[in-house]
Amino acid sequence: MLTRLGAGCGVLAGLAIAVPGLIEAFTGETAPTSFVLGLSPAFAVPLLTVLHLRQATAAGAFGAVAYTVNAVGLGLFGGAAFTLNLALFFLDDAVTKELLRGPAAVALQGSALVFAAGAVLFGVAILRAGSHPRVPAVAYLVALPVLAVAARLPDTPLTSVVHVVAGGSLVWLSLGVTRARQDATVNSSA
């Protein structure tokens, strides 16, 4: 049950990143796309847990540390994404610039850096363990840290591509977890 729920949440998280990213390539940032992006990290938490549980033995101590750093980073970055997309987006540019001169800027950058480091570590753990599909694992390893660092940049076609690749990697990893579970069920009943 946890696997299905985690995978389902992962698909939602991936779509909540990729679809707004694709739309913003043509429209720029809008209130609806910003709203969806601000909520997306919350859906990634169950997927992260399911991915780790599936590879925990093969990933060993390094995998446990990578999962922990990524989970803490995801929590921090989730707060940053929520703030950027559901609070600061709706403020006047002058007010936003003033807010981002103080400790808020350090907190937002710090959360992005912890998440980026965690995503790199966890991506490496996924690749080393070999328990998940390789292509989305590489996309996770590259696109999620870039997404975190680029979160405060203006929307461009390049940031839209990063959103689509990052979201796509989450969807693909989610579907991979679901397929692996189905394969295990079929093999155990044979």
Side-chain angles (χ1 to χ4, degrees):
M1 180 72 162
L2 178 61
T3 301
R4 281 188 305 210
L5 291 171
C9 284
V11 169
L12 286 174
L15 291 174
I17 295 168
V19 172
L22 184 61
I23 292 168
E24 288 178 355
F26 301 99
T27 65
E29 191 171 10
T30 65
T33 59
S34 190
F35 179 82
V36 172
L37 281 167
L39 298 178
S40 64
F43 293 107
V45 174
L47 173 63
L48 180 64
T49 301
V50 167
L51 291 172
H52 175 65
L53 289 174
R54 181 153 177 258
Q55 72 179 23
T57 302
F62 176 78
V65 169
Y67 166 76
T68 302
V69 174
N70 202 10
V72 169
L74 181 57
L76 291 169
F77 188 67
F82 189 91
T83 301
L84 288 170
N85 290 293
L86 294 170
L88 297 180
F89 174 77
F90 296 98
L91 296 178
D92 182 73
D93 287 343
V95 174
T96 301
K97 285 180 183 177
E98 184 63 32
L99 284 171
L100 293 178
R101 286 188 187 171
V106 174
L108 290 172
Q109 286 184 328
S111 69
L113 292 176
V114 173
F115 176 66
V120 167
L121 290 172
F122 195 68
V124 169
I126 291 172
L127 290 171
R128 286 178 56 184
S131 301
H132 301 289
R134 192 166 186 76
V135 171
V138 171
Y140 184 101
L141 170 71
V142 175
L144 274 112
V146 172
L147 181 69
V149 174
R152 290 191 47 216
L153 297 176
D155 292 320
T156 66
L158 181 60
T159 57
S160 291
V161 168
V162 172
H163 278 86
V164 171
V165 171
S169 73
L170 296 180
V171 170
W172 193 344
L173 286 168
S174 299
L175 296 175
V177 167
T178 304
R179 275 192 220 109
R181 186 177 183 281
Q182 289 169 347
D183 291 346
T185 302
V186 169
N187 289 339
S188 67
S189 63

